[in-house]
């Protein structure tokens, strides 16, 4: 499989250190608020990558950390008068619930920064011993002039690097490259831990180096995150890890481009800031949201629109409808070799797309062309019963990667929509008894109705 490696700036064949085993680190959420759909674009992209590796038979060992101590979490916890743990617990739980809603697979390790303070102190000690870090007033800084390769990921120009000047903030701009903080001396009102340099807390970048190496080894196969993490976060992770071990930290680096909303940057002041929960409360189907998040290429900016979610709902319905129709086929004619041929053709086309730097839209394209070709041979998807299982297996196999279709339901969307229509007619006649009966009956079967300005939508609950 070819992937675009930010480190080399090239499309490269993905080769793992161990045979058929991929060891991956993905930067997780800062649990100071609900994650927004931009964050979930990155997490869904990482999920698709993970799922495709599994589809290809890889064992995946993935770490996604939880940043539960940094400038932002501390500030918010203080504002609400809660301890750091009390504050972050709520958003950590919300994050995992949202991941489940979006069919993001649980990864092997979700370590918390606050549970690795000891290891972080050890790494800082090593960096000081090796001459890559220095202490100043109870804080410790990484000396970027000592690490000659500093800047190799973000392609920094040497002129931009301000040697011997330090920065205390976790986040800063690329035109302000300085010695970054590894350990921060305690400030009034901040949680702190004892260290050889006095009470303090870790800088943000440290945790990912420590947790990646602890769970995956000194050299990992691949590291991923959103494009904003290239500098300074990932640049600093490379410096910390490689200075300490003298070995390459990660062989491949993948970065997902930003999601923007209706052509504009997502921001609270513009009112176009969406969490997953906002969208679901407006009645949008979470699988359609996932569809939108994964279906455009991760190296292109994604312009998120509510229209695109509605279009995705239709696309999903089409595939689920096809699946339902095929599973109910009563066509007794002979096994048709042509269908088998179509499966092989489009399986290859799906894989070729995914192999080309995760071209998910191409992979969806393969699926929809397959549907079209089958329907040309057999209108209304009324294929021979003898071909049924291989077609259903094929769709299910592709869905282990896409994870946007619900094939499990014994209650197809079509029937639900028919009942919704009947309910709307009942309401028009002011027959509220019948309308409520339909609502209750659907509810019993795990279908929740939501009446919106644009009409009634439904949601399946587990
Ligand atoms: P954070 O919780 O801020 O540490 O971010 C979690 C992940 O979401 C990181 O990988 C970020 O790079 C990524 N991210 C943040 N904003 C966006 C956005 N608008 N579009 C895509 N990814 C984003
Ligand atoms: Zn990180």
């Amino acid at each position: 499989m070819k992937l675009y490696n930010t480190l080399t700036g090239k499309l490269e064949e993905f080769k793992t250190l161990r045979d058929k085993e991929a060891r991956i680190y993905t930067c997780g959420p800062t649990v100071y608020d609900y994650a927004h759909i931009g964050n979930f674009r990155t997490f869904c992209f990482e999920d698709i990558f993970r799922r495709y590796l599994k589809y290809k038979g890889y064992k995946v060992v993935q770490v996604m950390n939880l940043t539960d101590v940094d400038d932002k979490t501390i500030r918010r916890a203080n504002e609400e008068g809660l301890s750091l743990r009390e504050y972050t617990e709520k958003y950590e739980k919300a994050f995992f619930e949202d991941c489940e809603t979006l069919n993001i697979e649980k990864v092997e390790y979700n370590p918390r920064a606050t549970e690795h303070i000891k290891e972080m102190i050890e790494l800082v000690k090593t960096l000081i011993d090796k001459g890559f870090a220095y202490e100043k007033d109870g804080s410790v800084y990484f000396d970027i002039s000592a690490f000659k390769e500093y800047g190799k990921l973000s392609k920094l120009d040497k002129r931009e690097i301000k040697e011997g000047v330090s920065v205390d903030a976790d986040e800063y701009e690329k035109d302000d490259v300085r010695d970054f903080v590894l350990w921060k001396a305690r400030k009034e009102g901040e949680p702190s831990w004892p260290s050889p340099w006095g009470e303090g807390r870790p800088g943000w970048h440290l945790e990912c180096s420590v947790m990646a190496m602890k769970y995956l080894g000194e050299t990992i196969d691949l590291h991923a995150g959103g494009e904003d993490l290239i500098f300074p976060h990932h640049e600093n992770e490379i410096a910390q890890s490689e200075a300490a071990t003298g070995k390459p930290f990660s062989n491949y680096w993948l970065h997902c481009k930003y999601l923007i909303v209706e052509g504009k940057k997502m921001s609270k002041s513009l009112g176009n800031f969406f969490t997953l929960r906002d969208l679901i409360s407006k009645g949008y189907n979470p699988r359609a949201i996932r569809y939108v998040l994964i279906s455009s290429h991760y190296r292109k900016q994604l312009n998120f629109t509510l229209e695109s979610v509605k279009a995705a709902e239709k696309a999903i319905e089409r595939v689920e409808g096809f699946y339902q129709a095929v599973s109910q086929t009563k066509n007794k004619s002979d096994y048709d070799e042509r269908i088998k041929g179509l499966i092989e053709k489009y399986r290859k086309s799906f894989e070729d797309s995914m192999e080309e730097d995760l071209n998910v839209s191409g992979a969806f394209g393969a699926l929809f062309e397959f549907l079209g070709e089958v329907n040309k041979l057999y209108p209304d998807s009324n294929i021979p019963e003898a071909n049924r299982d291989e077609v259903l297996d094929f769709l299910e196999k592709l869905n282990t990667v896409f994870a946007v279709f619900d094939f499990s339901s014994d209650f197809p969307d079509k029937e639900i929509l028919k009942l919704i229509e009947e309910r709307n007619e009942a309401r028009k006649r002011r027959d509220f008894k019948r309308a409520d009966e339909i609502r209750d009956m659907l509810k019993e079967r795990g279908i929740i109705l939501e009446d919106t300005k644009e009409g009634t939508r439904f949601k399946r609950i587990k």
Side-chain angles (χ1 to χ4, degrees), residues 27-32 36-43 46 67 72 204 224-229 256-260 266:
C27 292
T30 307
V31 280
Y32 75 108
H36 56 67
I37 53 164
N39 300 132
F40 281 115
R41 177 187 199 199
T42 294
F43 298 135
E46 293 162 350
T67 300
K72 289 185 282 198
W204 167 42
E227 60 173 334
D228 58 321
L229 298 186
C256 179
K257 283 256 158 60
Y258 256 27
L259 170 145
I260 56 171
M266 186 166 54

Side-chain angles (χ1 to χ4, degrees), residues 423-434:
R423 174 170 166 270
N424 286 340
E425 267 153 27
R427 291 204 304 175
K428 258 188 234 147
R429 308 191 296 271
R430 308 189 65 77
D431 181 357
F432 296 114
K433 190 165 158 277
R434 177 67 189 145

Side-chain angles (χ1 to χ4, degrees), residues 325-333 382-385 388:
V326 169
S327 56
Q328 290 161 45
T329 182
K330 297 279 181 295
N331 183 340
K332 301 286 179 212
S333 52
N382 192 27
I383 65 166
E385 258 179 41
R388 183 187 58 208

Side-chain angles (χ1 to χ4, degrees), residues 311-372:
E313 285 175 354
K314 293 252 154 36
I316 290 173
E317 260 168 39
R318 202 177 138 213
V319 178
E320 288 177 352
F322 178 83
Y323 185 98
Q324 299 297 346
V326 169
S327 56
Q328 290 161 45
T329 182
K330 297 279 181 295
N331 183 340
K332 301 286 179 212
S333 52
D334 287 346
Y335 180 81
D336 189 339
E337 285 290 338
R338 291 174 305 173
I339 291 184
K340 186 173 175 212
L342 288 174
I343 291 176
E344 286 325 310
K345 176 174 172 193
Y346 288 105
R347 188 198 309 282
K348 179 159 187 318
S349 158
F350 165 81
E351 289 173 7
D352 287 349
S353 293
M354 293 301 287
E355 299 279 318
E356 199 55 39
D357 198 23
L358 302 171
N359 177 2
V360 179
S361 60
F364 272 122
L367 169 62
F368 284 104
E369 270 182 45
F370 171 75
L371 261 56

